[in-house]
Amino acid sequence: MLSKEKINRINELSKKAKNEKLTNKELKEQQQLRQEYIETFRSSFKNQLHSIKVVDEEGEDVTPDKLKASKQNRNLKH
């Protein structure tokens, strides 16, 4: 998860950009922080997807094979 300070800084730069032009240094910082945020979000979302198990009315596991394979590959890496 991204630190509170970094999220606050993203918000500061966004507010400033709405009112005035950011310096080149600030633009680079904003871009870097946004990229880090996106990477963190994607990683968290993938972890969430890997914890999903799909079950039908009879209680049978009907998780798609692609997701099962992805989970197995992930477990082998760890």
Side-chain angles (χ1 to χ4, degrees), residues 23-38:
T23 66
N24 286 339
K25 183 178 178 183
E26 289 170 327
L27 284 170
K28 286 179 184 177
E29 179 186 10
Q30 183 184 45
Q31 202 171 24
Q32 182 181 10
L33 288 168
R34 284 180 173 172
Q35 186 62 37
E36 187 176 345
Y37 177 84
I38 289 169

Side-chain angles (χ1 to χ4, degrees), residues 10 31 61:
I10 290 170
Q31 202 171 24
D61 183 0

Side-chain angles (χ1 to χ4, degrees):
M1 176 171 250
L2 211 58
S3 71
K4 186 72 174 167
E5 293 81 20
K6 287 184 178 184
I7 292 173
N8 288 340
R9 184 62 179 153
I10 290 170
N11 292 330
E12 284 175 24
L13 291 169
S14 178
K15 287 177 187 176
K16 184 176 179 182
K18 289 179 184 179
N19 297 322
E20 58 189 89
K21 191 173 182 177
L22 296 177
T23 66
N24 286 339
K25 183 178 178 183
E26 289 170 327
L27 284 170
K28 286 179 184 177
E29 179 186 10
Q30 183 184 45
Q31 202 171 24
Q32 182 181 10
L33 288 168
R34 284 180 173 172
Q35 186 62 37
E36 187 176 345
Y37 177 84
I38 289 169
E39 288 171 6
T40 302
F41 175 84
R42 285 181 179 157
S43 174
S44 175
F45 191 71
K46 284 180 184 178
N47 287 335
Q48 195 173 5
L49 286 175
H50 284 111
S51 68
I52 291 175
K53 181 177 181 180
V54 183
V55 180
D56 67 8
E57 300 85 28
E58 289 86 36
E60 299 294 320
D61 183 0
V62 292
T63 305
D65 291 335
K66 187 174 182 179
L67 183 57
K68 287 180 184 178
S70 176
K71 286 180 186 182
Q72 289 173 347
N73 290 338
R74 185 171 173 255
N75 289 337
L76 293 175
K77 291 180 184 177
H78 293 277

